[in-house]
Each structure stands twice: as C-alpha cells, then as structure tokens.
Amino acid sequence: MSSVMKSASPTTADPLMIDGVEYPSRLLVGTGKYKDMEETRLAIEASGAEIITVAIRRTNIGQNADEPNLLEVLPPDRYTYLPNTAGCYSAEDAVRTCRLARELLDGHNLVKLEVLGDEKTLFPDIIQTLEAAETLVAEGFRIMVYTNDDPIIAKRFEDMGCVAVMPLAAPIGSGLGIRNPGNIRTIVENAGVPILVDAGVGCASDSAIAMELGCDGVLMNTAIAGANNPVLMASAMKKAIEAGRESYLAGRIPRKRFASASSPVDGLFFQGTTDQSGIPL
C-alpha cells in the first residue's frame, strides 16, 4: 500500500496485507507452464511464495478425476489459492469462472480477475474487466484485478471495491520488464489498496525495480517456469523481492546531474600543503 511505514526495515516484520490477511512473502507465483508437477512443487517452494495462482480453465483442482490434482501437490492448508480467470475474453466468461472456482474451493472468495482483449497481445479488455468486477464485487468476491498501467483506471478499480490492483509491467510472458515506471509509481502513490506488478517480469532485477518503485508485491509465472532452471530462478526472485523492498524502505539518494564526492574536501589533513616540487599533498 502507498502509505508505507518508512521506519519498518526487516522484511519479516513488514508483511504484505491482502484483504486484511498478512503474508510474509511479497512474491506471488503462478502454477502453470512447468514441465511436471514435481518441478512446480520445487520451484514454488524455492520462491517462498504463499499465494499461488491457478487458472481454473486450464488446471485440475478437482474438475477431472483422471488427471493429477494440484491440490494434492500444493496443499491449501499451506498455500493461499488465488483462482484466476486466465483465458477469458468476456465479462460473462470471467464471472462464470469465478463462480466455478468458489464452488470447487468450498466458498473461496479471493480471486484474480483478468479479461483479455485478444490472443496476440493479451492486453486486458478494460471495459469487460470493469463490467465483470462490478458483478463480482456485488456477489461478495474479493478481487485482485489485472489491468493496464493507467493510473485513472487503477483508481477506478480501487473505488469499485477491488482489494488489490495489479497493473502490467509489460505484455504477459514477454519478459520485457518495467516498461512504464512513471505510471507504476503514480499508481502506487495514489493507491489505498495494495499494488502488485503483474505480467512482463523477466529476471530478478525486474522484480527489484518493481519493489523499488513502491509496489507491494509482484506476481509472475513465465519468468520462473520458462527459465532454464526454474527452481534457481524462483530462489533469485525471492531474494530480489526482499532486496527491492528493503531498498525502497531505506530511501534512495536523489538523482543528480553531476558528481558528489564520497569524501568531503573540507577538513582534509594538510589541505593546501605542497611538497618540495609544488605538488599538492
């Protein structure tokens, strides 16, 4: 959230708050795109994440008895499941998917809402997302909403009752990093709910930059699952999130056009003294 306590320094005493619940980890991860369930389990353990997203339309959490059940690999008593509406291209489909998730997860109301505009860019369809959010909020869902990096739209979702707003850093799965840091910072500065970068992170430094902008967390999937070594990348992302958060809380020095000496000139010993050749000491 934008009203950060600057005095808080240890990340263990600085939890992420989502809908009134504390999470020590500020890294949220997806469960798709891994080569198998074992790699999924190992990578998510290495990430330290406590909130994991699951695409209801693509992942088995009990819909299909003939396939491995993610709930058995990543038990709900250890992780907070965040069902998402990935693959939905209309408000109607997104609402239906959230209702299915609530049924499969015994009344679970925390969901990630995303409604996509087209298959090529995977940019959010804001009109459809707003429509879906309005319906879902009215039905008691607690919505973490995927959106573009428009500060006006981000505030609109907050005002509608979404519990977190998740602007993209770059297109989904692109790995391009933070393309518009100015807008992300503006969203953070005007927010009264948690702001989490979602989509476009490619490496650990991207995550650190997001946190240094003041974001409350980062959600990612492809950056870890698509790495040559997903487990190692998950570990790197965990550390980057923690370092970026501490850097933000510490407060960076101002950017300057010119150099500023680390050691002051005033008070130097032998100031103005020269040797026999006239060379300053």
Side-chain angles (χ1 to χ4, degrees):
M1 203 174 296
S2 57
S3 54
V4 174
M5 290 294 292
K6 294 287 185 177
S7 59
S9 54
T11 53
T12 53
D14 176 43
L16 170 65
M17 294 286 294
I18 299 287
D19 196 29
V21 179
E22 294 186 358
Y23 299 94
S25 174
R26 292 177 177 271
L27 174 59
L28 291 70
V29 296
T31 54
K33 302 185 177 181
Y34 294 95
K35 68 180 182 181
D36 53 37
M37 285 288 191
E38 179 63 7
E39 184 178 76
T40 304
R41 182 185 68 81
L42 291 173
I44 290 176
E45 285 183 356
S47 76
E50 296 152 293
I51 301 177
I52 57 175
T53 66
V54 53
I56 297 299
R57 294 163 64 97
R58 300 169 179 163
T59 306
N60 182 36
I61 56 171
Q63 309 98 304
N64 190 339
D66 298 326
E67 295 180 3
N69 189 334
L70 189 68
L71 297 176
E72 297 174 358
V73 179
L74 301 170
D77 60 351
R78 179 175 178 183
Y79 297 98
T80 295
Y81 270 65
L82 183 63
N84 71 54
T85 60
C88 292
Y89 291 86
S90 71
E92 182 181 1
D93 283 348
V95 169
R96 185 185 304 113
T97 300
C98 286
R99 290 169 178 164
L100 174 61
R102 181 159 60 183
E103 181 178 337
L104 290 170
L105 294 172
D106 299 323
H108 186 81
N109 285 323
L110 184 67
V111 297
K112 176 192 169 184
L113 172 63
E114 63 178 77
V115 184
L116 305 177
D118 65 75
E119 295 183 359
K120 182 177 180 180
T121 67
L122 299 182
F123 281 131
D125 183 326
I126 298 303
I127 303 300
Q128 292 293 307
T129 307
L130 286 166
E131 181 180 330
E134 185 175 24
T135 299
L136 292 168
V137 167
E139 293 185 8
F141 284 93
R142 313 302 288 166
I143 299 171
M144 299 175 67
V145 61
Y146 168 68
T147 183
N148 58 23
D149 57 9
D150 182 342
I152 305 302
I153 292 297
K155 195 64 178 176
R156 175 76 178 276
F157 280 120
E158 177 184 337
D159 293 342
M160 290 179 68
C162 294
V163 300
V165 177
M166 301 190 292
L168 56 80
I172 292 173
S174 68
L176 290 173
I178 314 294
R179 307 310 297 168
N180 200 340
N183 274 23
I184 298 295
R185 186 61 182 264
T186 299
I187 291 171
V188 168
E189 290 174 345
N190 291 298
V193 297
I195 302 298
L196 300 92
V197 156
D198 179 13
V201 168
C203 59
S205 59
D206 294 336
S207 297
I209 290 170
M211 298 307 296
E212 288 174 338
L213 288 171
C215 291
D216 295 274
V218 180
L219 191 156
M220 67 184 73
N221 186 185
T222 307
I224 294 176
N228 291 336
N229 187 330
V231 177
L232 187 58
M233 182 61 80
S235 175
M237 291 297 187
K238 175 180 184 291
K239 296 165 187 170
I241 294 287
E242 293 172 352
R245 179 64 177 177
E246 289 188 355
S247 176
Y248 171 70
L249 293 175
R252 64 157 293 134
I253 63 171
R255 289 182 171 88
K256 302 175 183 177
R257 287 185 62 200
F258 303 106
S260 177
S262 298
S263 301
V265 175
D266 294 341
L268 285 177
F269 292 112
F270 311 116
Q271 185 174 356
T273 305
T274 60
D275 62 16
Q276 293 180 350
S277 302
I279 298 175
L281 294 173

